[in-house]
Amino acid sequence: HFQFFTDLFLFLWQISDMVAVARILKATLIIPELDKKSFWLDKSNFSDVFDEEHFIRYLANDVKVEKNLPKELVKAPKSVRYFKSWSGVDYYQNEISPLWEHRQVIRAAKSDSRLANNFLPPDIQKLRCRTFFQALRFAPPIEALGNLLVERMKSFGPYIALHLRYEKDMLAFSGCTYGLSDTESEELAMIRGNTTYWKVKDIDPLEQRSHGHCPLTPKEVGMFLSALGYPSSTPVYIAAGEIYGGESHMVDLQSRFPILMNKEKLASAEELRPFSQYASQMAALDYIVSVESDVFIPSYSGNMARAVAGHRRFHGHRKTISPDRKALVHLFDKVDSGLLDEGKRLSQKIIEMHQKRYRTGHES
């Protein structure tokens, strides 16, 4: 039997790996526990977020999946292992499989990036993809409201889903404070210092931004969309939690794109009530609306952004635009300093820059 723990969007990648690892090890996989100690302290269980019965049923011919460890094994000695990152089949067959001689339960202490991306047997690679795109399905209540949000968003016309990663946890973790007040910057530094599992404490925010390591600000995203030629009538869905600093940081984006929606605007408080206290379930709603959008644009290339982009490719290469943050901030700084006007020249530079990224595989 094989156990592991994870959080939501890492989960989408990790469960695909761990299902494949269970197949390689000929092991029974125990339904994973979501990480309840993350920044948002979400108490959701697997079955609160995903359709557990479908997951077990879909994988029945590939891997045996059980909801819980059998009673007779609960107190059995367990082998706790940190699996080596980016490992191939040989590693699991030669180094992990022999553990069964002494233990009936192996617990993966961490499950991020534990399987190689390349040179896997075709059946294992296909199993990973089927797990990600077909075995994993959100719980029926989440699917129902998510699809309703999509329907309501489409009533405004073809829409952009903007994964606006301008949230307290992201900014505190990355040390990105551009455009924030001194008070806000100090609050984020305090959060970073007090979060023990974030190892890097001293971060130069200007250096982070110049290297493209910061999410675009709401204002920068507005400039980006305008430069790409999207008219102000374009409906934009904000896939995000609470934007740090609230409406004060959204003024410029809102003025450029007045049809600026989010789940709180599209759904009633009553419709959101079952999910509103659970960050992972609220994020799942954003995920559904993002996958189904006409264009998806992430302001930062994190776990959700990569998962959504991959899911969209699976559905037939729906348009995803990944901003070149490093190049963009240098252009935006020129605009701020008066060296470049926001207009045709800026637009031309940004369009050419992203046409090149498209040709080199950064967009689809």
Side-chain angles (χ1 to χ4, degrees):
H1 290 72
F2 182 52
Q3 288 183 307
F4 71 102
F5 302 82
T6 184
D7 64 19
L8 181 62
F9 290 113
L10 275 175
F11 175 89
L12 293 170
W13 305 104
Q14 294 167 355
I15 187 61
S16 304
D17 279 3
M18 293 300 104
V19 166
V21 167
R23 169 79 169 268
I24 293 167
L25 295 175
K26 299 180 174 62
T28 297
L29 180 69
I30 304 302
I31 288 285
E33 293 184 27
L34 298 176
D35 181 7
K36 295 179 172 63
K37 297 180 181 179
S38 66
F39 183 87
W40 298 111
L41 300 176
D42 190 324
K43 301 299 182 184
S44 297
N45 294 313
F46 181 95
S47 59
D48 296 321
V49 183
F50 297 98
D51 188 334
E52 190 173 66
E53 299 301 331
H54 171 77
F55 181 75
I56 294 171
R57 189 169 56 248
Y58 182 88
L59 292 171
N61 294 328
D62 299 291
V63 172
K64 184 179 180 182
V65 180
E66 294 187 358
K67 295 181 182 180
N68 300 292
L69 202 61
K71 289 183 180 179
E72 66 272 16
L73 293 178
V74 170
K75 295 184 179 180
K78 300 172 180 62
S79 180
V80 180
R81 285 289 184 273
Y82 287 84
F83 293 166
K84 189 186 298 183
S85 295
W86 309 114
S87 300
V89 172
D90 289 348
Y91 167 78
Y92 288 100
Q93 290 179 336
N94 299 333
E95 297 191 36
I96 303 301
S97 190
L99 296 174
W100 295 131
E101 296 175 14
H102 309 287
R103 295 287 187 269
Q104 290 181 280
V105 180
I106 297 175
R107 175 175 288 176
K110 286 190 176 181
S111 53
D112 51 319
S113 306
R114 299 305 170 194
L115 194 61
N117 278 334
N118 302 312
F119 309 114
L120 294 174
D123 63 316
I124 296 296
Q125 195 68 284
K126 289 176 182 177
L127 177 58
R128 294 169 89 185
C129 293
R130 287 191 292 110
T131 299
F132 193 115
F133 298 122
Q134 294 174 319
L136 284 167
R137 193 162 67 187
F138 289 119
I142 294 174
E143 285 279 347
L145 183 55
N147 290 333
L148 190 58
L149 295 179
V150 171
E151 184 181 320
R152 291 172 181 173
M153 198 64 212
K154 285 184 178 294
S155 70
F156 296 102
Y159 70 93
I160 294 171
L162 173 61
H163 184 41
L164 189 58
R165 202 66 173 91
Y166 205 72
E167 300 150 314
K168 184 183 288 186
D169 66 322
M170 180 68 225
L171 297 177
F173 172 75
S174 62
C176 296
T177 59
Y178 178 78
L180 300 180
S181 68
D182 290 342
T183 302
E184 289 170 331
S185 299
E186 289 168 9
E187 181 189 24
L188 296 178
M190 188 182 301
I191 292 170
R192 188 168 64 255
N194 293 336
T195 306
T196 55
Y197 51 87
W198 291 350
K199 301 303 181 185
V200 180
K201 304 299 183 184
D202 296 321
I203 299 175
D204 182 337
L206 295 178
E207 185 177 330
Q208 282 284 90
R209 183 170 178 270
S210 67
H211 289 159
H213 299 325
C214 290
L216 296 177
T217 68
K219 179 180 179 180
E220 289 170 340
V221 170
M223 293 173 68
F224 177 63
L225 294 181
S226 296
L228 291 179
Y230 288 105
S232 62
S233 58
T234 304
V236 177
Y237 178 85
I238 302 296
E242 184 178 351
I243 299 301
Y244 188 58
E247 293 303 314
S248 64
H249 290 303
M250 296 292 288
V251 171
D252 189 86
L253 180 58
Q254 180 80 60
S255 68
R256 291 172 186 268
F257 296 93
I259 311 176
L260 201 62
M261 308 300 291
N262 56 25
K263 51 191 174 293
E264 289 80 8
K265 292 179 180 178
L266 291 173
S268 68
E270 184 178 349
E271 288 172 319
L272 286 176
R273 189 169 293 117
F275 316 104
S276 60
Q277 299 303 309
Y278 305 97
S280 59
Q281 296 178 46
M282 294 289 273
L285 294 172
D286 283 338
Y287 186 93
I288 292 170
V289 182
S290 297
V291 168
E292 296 300 325
S293 64
D294 296 275
V295 181
F296 174 63
I297 301 177
S299 68
Y300 187 81
S301 54
N303 292 316
M304 177 176 166
R306 288 192 289 268
V308 169
H311 215 139
R312 290 169 63 80
R313 289 190 190 98
F314 178 76
H315 283 303
H317 292 278
R318 296 173 178 176
K319 190 172 186 178
T320 296
I321 302 174
S322 300
D324 185 338
R325 297 186 304 277
K326 183 177 180 179
L328 283 172
V329 297
H330 290 296
L331 288 177
F332 294 153
D333 284 347
K334 287 184 177 181
V335 173
D336 288 343
S337 63
L339 296 176
L340 180 64
D341 290 331
E342 187 180 353
K344 188 173 182 181
R345 190 163 163 234
L346 176 66
S347 179
Q348 186 178 26
K349 284 179 177 291
I350 288 177
I351 290 172
E352 288 177 356
M353 175 196 308
H354 288 81
Q355 286 175 336
K356 183 177 181 181
R357 278 171 71 80
Y358 178 84
R359 289 194 296 269
T360 56
H362 287 83
E363 303 175 38
S364 62

